[in-house]
Amino acid sequence: MKAIKSLSFGFICLAWFCSSCLDLDDSSSEPDRQVQGPSLDRPQDLHFIDDELLVVTNSGFGSDAWRDGYLSVIHQQTGEMLNDLATSQFNPVHLSLYKEKLYVVNSGRLDLTNFDEPKSLDPGAIDIFEVDDLKAGIGPVMTWQVPTVDGYESESAPSQLVWHSDVALLTSSLFNRVWIIDKVPDGPAPIFQEVALEENLSLGLGSAVAWDEYFVVLDFNSDLGYLVSTGARLHPCALELGDSSDMEGASVPLVEGQTLYYLLALSGVVKALDLVKWRDECIRDGQTILAPLGQVPNDLALWDDNLAVLHSGDNNVVLYERENGNEVSRLLLSVGSNPYQFALSSTGDAMGVSEWLSDQVTVFERGGRVRFQAP
């Protein structure tokens, strides 16, 4: 069986990852939600809101026990910690902004005591916050409960939520399953339609992006790519995205026009392929764009006309020219900070980086100047 990596913890040493999960206790099914702030606690995802706010998820992971997850709301110009907002469940891992609402995916506590059969100890949930309520410190207006995997006793461990008009796709951090959520955002409770990426249930870690009438889904464990329609139909062509029989870690899909960029995290490579030829001819017509990368590449974005790659092991973000792969500049973070993820402001004038082990966020301006570190 292939080894697994979970975005819910951060991209860190698997040996440490496993040993730190041995004593998890699932006795409290309804935890009392408390907020620890004003501070950050194992920050993961982050999202700029308009030109004023920066929202950060805090997973609360600890080697002996999970702490309550919450959101931190930060002024994106000054770095002032404005307030903290409790989430309904442990381990908030992903933020998705759609139609003036912020959707927070809570994966729940993950238990890797049996590494071959990992499980989530808590039901997955998606909290929905009104954007106008964030600065005022008002909690979620609604929470969606995520269903369990069909025919399996474990909770689904939701990971990432991606919107395509009024349809969303939800991935899992443990299984090769996704869910289509079809609803009007202000309408009744949604219906989750499970889509099996493969007939047999197996370990998986999905990441996704919207394109055309599809969601492009990558599975880190199998290095396979899938096209799932907004109508919950699986395209017949599952494409092998790696170059080796070993696991290469296909992840972080990024679409620009008809081109898909993606990361092979374990091989240290960024690749690109033609999405139209994939859809119409089941051909992987692509090339390697960047290689070799630094240590533990964990996020990918297009910033202006450069490809930005976050290296958790090297504690930096490197910008490369998209056309020729030449290095443009480096944004340096504290040694040992284990940067986890980054986000770009809506105008592209700033990049925020979550630093998992140092419990802080650094915001860089275009050109590389540090605007602030928080807290």
Side-chain angles (χ1 to χ4, degrees), residues 273-293:
L273 63 81
D274 187 319
L275 284 165
V276 174
K277 288 191 176 181
W278 177 2
R279 180 195 62 194
D280 296 346
E281 303 176 48
C282 197
I283 294 174
R284 192 184 84 182
D285 181 9
Q287 59 184 319
T288 296
I289 302 298
L290 302 175
L293 300 173

Side-chain angles (χ1 to χ4, degrees), residues 51-54 74-82 363 365 371-374:
D51 60 356
E52 184 178 12
L53 303 180
L54 175 64
I74 304 171
H75 195 288
Q76 67 172 259
Q77 301 299 328
T78 66
E80 178 186 359
M81 304 284 290
L82 299 177
V363 172
E365 295 185 345
R371 179 181 294 178
F372 65 79
Q373 289 181 316

Side-chain angles (χ1 to χ4, degrees), residues 289-364:
I289 302 298
L290 302 175
L293 300 173
Q295 296 185 56
V296 196
N298 205 39
D299 209 353
L300 174 69
L302 188 62
W303 195 4
D304 295 329
D305 201 37
N306 298 316
L307 285 169
V309 180
L310 179 148
H311 299 102
S312 293
D314 290 329
N315 305 295
N316 64 32
V317 176
V318 181
L319 273 64
Y320 302 90
E321 291 185 41
R322 183 164 43 145
E323 298 302 322
N324 55 33
N326 292 335
E327 182 176 323
V328 176
S329 62
R330 292 190 177 208
L331 309 178
L332 302 181
L333 298 145
S334 302
V335 175
S337 61
N338 188 205
Y340 176 83
Q341 207 159 349
F342 53 40
L344 297 173
S345 65
S346 59
T347 60
D349 68 320
M351 170 186 283
V353 184
S354 60
E355 297 169 72
W356 199 79
L357 283 179
S358 58
D359 290 331
Q360 71 177 11
V361 166
T362 299
V363 172
F364 295 93

Side-chain angles (χ1 to χ4, degrees), residues 16 20 26 31 67 73 84 114 153 173 180 215 256 316:
W16 176 88
S20 63
D26 62 353
R67 298 174 291 276
V73 182
D84 295 322
N114 183 346
E153 64 182 13
S173 59
I180 291 292
F215 295 97
E256 176 72 6
N316 64 32

